[in-house]
Amino acid sequence: MTAAPPLSSRFMDRTHRDRPTTTGPPSSSLLDWWRSDRFTVALALIALAGLVFRIAYVVWNRNGLVGTDGYFFHRFALQLVDGVGFRNPTTGAAIATNPPAWSVVLAGPSMIGFRSELWQQLIACVVGTATIVMTGLAGRAAFGRRVGIAAAALAAAYPFVWLYERELVAEPLAMLGTATTIWLAYKFKAAPSVWLAVALGAAVGVLAMTRSELLGISVLLVVPVVLSARRVSLRNRFRWLVAAAVVCVAVVAPWAIYNQTRFARPVPLSTSLGPAMVTGNCPPTYHGKLLGYYVPGCALFVSDVSTDASIADNRYRRAAWDFVSANKKRVPVVAAARVGRTFGLFRPTQQMHLEAERGTEVLVLRLGFYAYWILLPLAIAGFVLARRRGVAVYPLLAFPVLIVLAVLPTIGLVRYRAPAEIPLLILAAVAIEALVTLVRYGRAGPAAAQAPKAIFTRG
């Protein structure tokens, strides 16, 4: 029987494994070069399969309900094209419930006359396909080509990536921004430069313009990534951080300045915190069946609410804090329930039905929950493997940590977890790649015992 190849040659350093062997296409033909780049070919095929599936899913469900936030994103996109801007479709009042990035993306087909929800869902499918590609690239940048391919395949198939595209909520763009930010973070760690730091600042700006709480990634990810570049002088590291911050502010500034002309108080990103807090901090969410969830009707009990969204947001926050202060003993239980709901660990069967209010069938949500419960232990195993091999994982952990911080004072909702799905898929891919390697080399003889130790090397 042929002996297994030496581990030193089989498991090369990630940097060397991913480095092209030539600087351009071989002299024979471009086709030969394309065939030789197996990662690109595999990633393209996975992305194509993911796009076809996504289109088939939204077309098949084209008559399904688009509820809650998805409906408003659809309306805002049409209003942008019509010159109305960001106003409540019912009352006409100025509104900034969500940052504008997703509405701007969805407005694309409306500009050329395609104004239906279906056309916007198809745009969301394209964004989801880009997420597949960027998840694969992020996995490769962090752990190598095989992990990248596995992560892309998971992103193509995982329900809690593609079901949001039909719902027209902002999560597809948030997940694309998450994958891109992770990719940039690991590229920066491999080869620090001011341009990658600036790109990280821009990526965080786009994330914040998609979901306002994601601005926190600037502190949890960008700052430690840039400051950990020990090959760069401390002065330059601080300069690069300032450059990243300036670019991030430049991305957000036009929206904040626009809001200053519409509201009585500054609204840098959105006015959603107050409503989320007041609907998540009231008697029905502190006791009983809806523990840790939210009740929209709770906002009706707040008196003297202004028609100005910025003033109303502040009033809602004050009312929520008053309720929290009066129910301090219940806060730890409620906070734990919120985190449990968000991460599929508390009353999951009930949560499936609650999440279905956006129009997704319970069957699809159940499939998503089952897939998540399979991937979660794999991701934990992938985290352990990565740490044992000395690979930095804090760029991946920053997103779930931020989600926990965001839901603690507000609402437990699986949709809020969406940015954390990308790190989940990448870490699960690490464990899957390790299992495949172990099985493959477990049949090769004595070298099997050493195979798991060489899955990653720090790059």
Side-chain angles (χ1 to χ4, degrees), residues 58-314:
V58 301
V59 171
W60 181 264
N61 293 276
R62 60 188 178 277
N63 296 321
L65 171 70
V66 174
T68 61
D69 285 359
Y71 168 77
F72 284 99
F73 281 118
H74 166 66
R75 293 297 306 168
F76 290 151
L78 298 182
Q79 290 177 182
L80 280 176
V81 176
D82 294 339
V84 177
F86 291 91
R87 294 187 173 276
N88 190 309
T90 303
T91 66
I95 192 171
T97 306
N98 298 284
W102 185 232
S103 298
V104 172
V105 171
L106 292 182
S110 302
M111 296 178 65
I112 54 177
F114 300 106
R115 300 170 62 89
S116 68
E117 291 175 348
L118 177 59
W119 279 104
Q120 293 181 354
Q121 289 167 338
L122 293 176
I123 290 296
C125 290
V126 173
V127 173
T129 304
T131 301
I132 297 172
V133 174
M134 291 311 305
T135 302
L137 293 176
R140 180 178 70 167
F143 301 107
R145 289 175 295 181
R146 290 175 296 170
V147 171
I149 292 300
L154 292 175
Y158 183 46
F160 280 127
V161 174
W162 49 260
L163 67 81
Y164 298 121
E165 296 157 15
R166 193 211 64 83
E167 294 180 0
L168 287 181
V169 290
E171 276 58 38
L173 186 59
M175 286 188 280
L176 174 59
T178 297
T180 303
T181 303
I182 293 172
W183 174 69
L184 288 170
Y186 280 104
K187 296 289 284 185
F188 182 91
K189 288 187 66 64
S193 74
V194 65
W195 299 112
L196 285 172
V198 166
L200 276 169
V204 172
V206 174
L207 281 173
M209 293 289 279
T210 305
R211 276 180 39 171
S212 54
E213 74 275 14
L214 292 177
L215 182 62
I217 289 299
S218 59
V219 175
L220 294 177
L221 188 152
V222 178
V223 170
V225 163
V226 174
L227 291 183
S228 66
R230 297 181 179 178
R231 289 174 286 175
V232 180
S233 68
L234 186 60
R235 175 181 293 183
N236 279 341
R237 280 180 261 172
F238 279 107
R239 287 177 176 174
W240 293 1
L241 271 180
V242 171
V246 168
V247 172
C248 182
V249 171
V251 173
V252 174
W255 173 247
I257 294 171
Y258 172 59
N259 286 337
Q260 188 62 38
T261 67
R262 305 192 298 150
F263 301 112
R265 297 185 178 183
V267 179
L269 290 170
S270 76
T271 57
S272 62
L273 180 58
M277 290 183 65
V278 77
T279 57
N281 291 279
C282 56
T285 67
Y286 271 54
H287 305 272
K289 294 182 179 180
L290 295 179
L291 175 66
Y293 197 59
Y294 76 105
V295 177
C298 290
L300 300 177
F301 294 96
V302 180
S303 60
D304 302 325
V305 176
S306 172
T307 56
D308 185 291
S310 64
I311 297 176
D313 178 49
N314 183 67

Side-chain angles (χ1 to χ4, degrees), residues 361-374:
E361 295 179 353
V362 174
L363 178 62
V364 174
L365 288 164
R366 183 176 291 113
L367 179 63
F369 271 83
Y370 291 158
Y372 170 75
W373 289 329
I374 293 172

